Amino acid sequence: MTKITEQPSLYRHLEKMSIEELTANINNEDKKVALAIEKALPEINLLIKNIVDKLENGGRLFYLGAGSGGRLSVLDAIELPTTYGIPKGKVNVILAGGVDRLIEAREEKEDDPNAGWEALKGYEVSENDFVLGISASGTTPFVLGALKSCRANGVLTGCIVSNPESPIAANADYPVEVLTGPEFVSGSTRMKCGTAQKMIFDMISTTSMIRLGRVEDNKMVNVLLINDKIVDRSVKMLMERAEMSNYEEAKELLMEKGSVKSALESLGK
């Protein structure tokens, strides 16, 4: 396979560039990310369809990764219960080295081909679930070993990789290859690869939550009321949708019912 992610940067002598040159060149490289994702949209759409199918039928989604991509998936997953009111445990992350060690770059853990599957077994993963492997290189043993074991045990899988014809893509049921090209700093896949991964996580989780009915119109009607800003936003949302004019009355109903959606349902809306 060709490791595009390890190819030399298109730029030389970065240390001699001014701040203005550095930021302009990084920005030029970042512009390539959305275009690379656009080329992969058919595969991304198929991946999301199968994730939604599992979630709709009571299954769970597991992000499984290492390095920057794995850590970015943690950031995506932890916001879903509060933003969309889904039960904790519906979307999970298996991170090389453990989610509890998120701020430590334990990159050596990604070389263990058995650890990912062992962690999935701890969650009693089954054919009802979906496992999404994340690896810029497409070769990470932690991810590859887990996907092979998933396939052997009838667990549906997908992947997000940034190199063509990778072993991980070959062992995923629904592979997504987003080829963002050489990094600005050679091999630093926290840059364009990481940006692409973040954008795709946004697509996967947001589209899935919408399809699961966690959004109405363009509003987060199931958001958890965890701080004053969100409560205020939710009160105004309720007032608009229920055609209420009294802020305090709307707030009292909202706090009693726990969410905009539940409040609207109590009003027959």
Side-chain angles (χ1 to χ4, degrees), residues 70-203:
R71 289 188 282 272
L72 286 168
S73 74
V74 175
L75 301 181
D76 189 64
I78 61 175
E79 294 187 349
L80 301 183
T82 53
T83 304
Y84 297 107
I86 63 169
K88 288 185 178 180
K90 192 72 171 174
V91 178
N92 306 277
V93 179
I94 304 296
L95 179 66
V99 173
D100 58 327
R101 310 297 286 275
L102 176 65
I103 62 172
E104 298 178 26
R106 307 189 73 196
E107 311 297 15
E108 74 279 3
K109 297 297 183 181
E110 68 182 53
D111 293 330
D112 187 337
N114 301 311
W117 176 246
E118 288 301 314
L120 285 168
K121 287 199 299 183
Y123 282 85
E124 298 182 345
V125 70
S126 74
E127 65 276 4
N128 297 321
D129 303 316
F130 194 101
V131 174
L132 179 60
I134 305 145
S135 169
S137 69
T139 60
T140 308
F142 179 84
V143 177
L144 179 59
L147 294 194
K148 286 181 176 179
S149 294
C150 284
R151 176 166 284 180
N153 287 274
V155 180
L156 210 59
T157 62
C159 71
I160 302 169
V161 297
S162 297
N163 284 315
E165 301 177 348
S166 69
I168 285 175
N171 283 276
D173 299 302
Y174 298 98
V176 173
E177 295 178 340
V178 179
L179 309 182
T180 51
E183 296 287 1
F184 182 69
V185 175
S186 299
S188 180
T189 53
R190 59 180 289 273
M191 300 188 75
K192 286 190 299 183
C193 287
T195 300
Q197 290 162 343
K198 173 63 168 69
M199 292 172 72
I200 295 171
F201 294 148
D202 285 345
M203 285 183 172

Side-chain angles (χ1 to χ4, degrees), residues 34-51:
L35 297 175
I37 291 174
E38 183 178 18
K39 292 178 182 178
L41 281 177
E43 291 75 25
I44 293 170
N45 294 340
L46 188 58
L47 172 70
I48 294 173
K49 179 184 183 301
N50 282 273
I51 290 172

